[in-house]
Amino acid sequence: MWFKNLKVFRLSPAWQLSVQDLEAKLEKQLFQPGNRSDMQNMGWVSPGNNGALVHALNGQYLLALRVEKKLLPATVINQFTKEKAQEIEEQQGYRPGRKQLKEIKEQVTEELLPKAFSIFRDTKVWIDTRNHWLIIDAAAAAKSDEVIGMLAKVLDPLPVQSLFTELSPSAAMTEWLLQDEAPANFSIDQDVELRSSAENRATVRYVRQTPEKEDVTKHIEAGKQCTRLALTWADRVSFILNESLDIKRVAPLDILTEGSDFSNMDDAERFDADMTLMCAELANLLDDLVGALGGEKKVGPQ
């Protein structure tokens, strides 16, 4: 249930949409299995496997975008294209030109697509209507862009803005390392990346290892900044923060579940309990993190 990666966006405080209205809008882009000739297809599905496109709980909305992609490796296409081109060369007596090769490749792709396997991927989206967050569980920008693009098709205007803070994550993380002290409610863990802003982009990484303060100081004096830092929040959630304000490898710690008894819950009750816990903890983490980065920078009308 817990999101493993957080792509963080601001939800406009003026945005108000009931669960029923949001559900009706998402239905316009409901996931339908693609045609045999479609390379990729996407649409909204139920995040809780109960048929509802919006799983709502105490002002928290959970959505899921499903992407279907045909598994057709370029090596396979190229192999069949080469064989087809050789057949045509034997028939016409000369090698196909660049334009003809392109047409052959397109033809081969169309012929192979119906035989290709489909792989499916779901990307979860959390909308916090109380604290005005929109969070996408995606490590890669491309997956996040898919979600934003699909939301833009059903929400007009799109009530989402990028999050900016007064301090850049790189500057703040570099200072925390120099001082060997994280901001209140945070602690520094054993995963650090330092990168030069020079053209060579020289990079030093410490994995599962705490760098010595003298080494960190030497790298920073040489022009490097911290671009990736492992942190723990309130002894409750561990994660990695990067220079783009992306939060990766999110993991709830044992303290969150100690003493909890889920044995008497059915699957639906357990899903709601996990969602309630995740939303509450991550909303508090985000508030503390924004505060540690100097507060939110206002860049335009909300």
Side-chain angles (χ1 to χ4, degrees):
M1 172 65 224
W2 274 73
F3 283 25
K4 292 181 173 59
N5 302 283
L6 310 181
K7 282 281 188 180
V8 184
F9 297 89
R10 257 303 178 202
L11 186 68
S12 170
W15 185 77
Q16 291 184 345
L17 203 62
S18 69
V19 175
Q20 294 77 14
D21 288 342
L22 180 56
E23 182 109 16
K25 290 181 179 295
L26 295 178
E27 283 179 356
K28 298 176 182 178
Q29 296 292 331
L30 186 68
F31 177 80
Q32 300 289 348
N35 297 324
R36 299 176 67 190
S37 59
D38 290 338
M39 194 69 179
Q40 181 170 293
N41 179 52
M42 64 181 72
W44 300 101
V45 296
S46 173
N49 297 320
N50 58 4
L53 296 181
V54 182
H55 192 89
L57 196 64
N58 301 321
Q60 312 298 323
Y61 297 169
L62 195 64
L63 319 177
L65 179 69
R66 177 163 296 171
V67 177
E68 175 189 12
K69 190 173 183 179
K70 293 291 179 63
L71 192 61
L72 189 56
T75 51
V76 174
I77 296 175
N78 292 337
Q79 176 187 337
F80 278 85
T81 299
K82 183 178 179 180
E83 293 173 0
K84 188 73 172 178
Q86 288 175 343
E87 291 177 8
I88 293 176
E89 181 180 350
E90 292 173 0
Q91 293 171 3
Q92 65 187 15
Y94 57 89
R95 291 183 180 181
R98 183 177 299 178
K99 181 179 178 181
Q100 190 176 9
L101 275 175
K102 182 181 178 183
E103 293 172 350
I104 294 170
K105 190 171 186 178
E106 290 173 352
Q107 180 185 348
V108 166
T109 302
E110 290 179 3
E111 292 173 353
L112 291 176
L113 267 176
K115 304 174 185 177
F117 290 102
S118 289
I119 55 174
F120 298 88
R121 166 176 49 82
D122 289 355
T123 301
K124 296 287 182 66
V125 185
W126 163 36
I127 297 176
D128 183 345
T129 64
R130 293 185 172 182
N131 299 293
H132 311 297
W133 294 114
L134 186 141
I135 311 296
I136 302 172
D137 185 1
K143 294 180 181 178
S144 174
D145 290 344
E146 287 175 347
V147 170
I148 295 299
M150 290 296 286
L151 284 174
K153 291 181 178 181
V154 297
L155 300 178
D156 184 21
L158 183 66
V160 177
Q161 296 180 341
S162 296
L163 173 66
F164 297 97
T165 53
E166 291 292 340
L167 298 175
S168 75
S170 284
M173 292 188 295
T174 301
E175 184 63 23
W176 300 341
L177 282 176
L178 273 175
Q179 299 298 326
D180 196 20
E181 184 177 359
N185 235 11
F186 292 91
S187 58
I188 297 174
D189 291 339
Q190 297 180 329
D191 198 316
V192 179
E193 178 182 273
L194 298 157
R195 185 188 303 152
S196 172
S197 57
E199 187 176 346
N200 63 6
R201 307 286 284 174
T203 302
V204 175
R205 294 187 181 93
Y206 296 86
V207 180
R208 299 186 183 92
Q209 177 184 355
T210 302
E212 297 293 335
K213 186 176 180 181
E214 294 77 9
D215 293 337
V216 169
T217 302
K218 188 183 304 180
H219 287 303
I220 293 172
E221 288 177 348
K224 294 185 180 70
Q225 278 199 320
C226 183
T227 53
R228 177 183 171 96
L229 182 64
L231 297 163
T232 292
W233 169 77
D235 295 326
R236 299 168 77 82
V237 180
S238 66
F239 63 97
I240 290 178
L241 178 66
N242 73 9
E243 59 187 326
S244 302
L245 200 48
D246 294 330
I247 300 171
K248 300 177 180 290
R249 282 171 40 185
V250 177
L253 302 183
D254 291 341
I255 192 173
L256 286 178
T257 55
E258 287 177 357
S260 300
D261 184 9
F262 299 108
S263 59
N264 295 324
M265 296 182 180
D266 59 26
D267 290 344
E269 291 171 332
R270 191 176 296 112
F271 187 91
D272 284 351
D274 284 344
M275 178 176 169
T276 298
L277 180 63
M278 182 193 78
C279 293
E281 296 295 330
L282 293 186
N284 288 331
L285 184 158
L286 289 171
D287 283 343
D288 282 354
L289 182 59
V290 170
L293 294 173
E296 189 170 354
K297 181 186 290 186
K298 304 300 181 182
V299 294
Q302 297 290 308

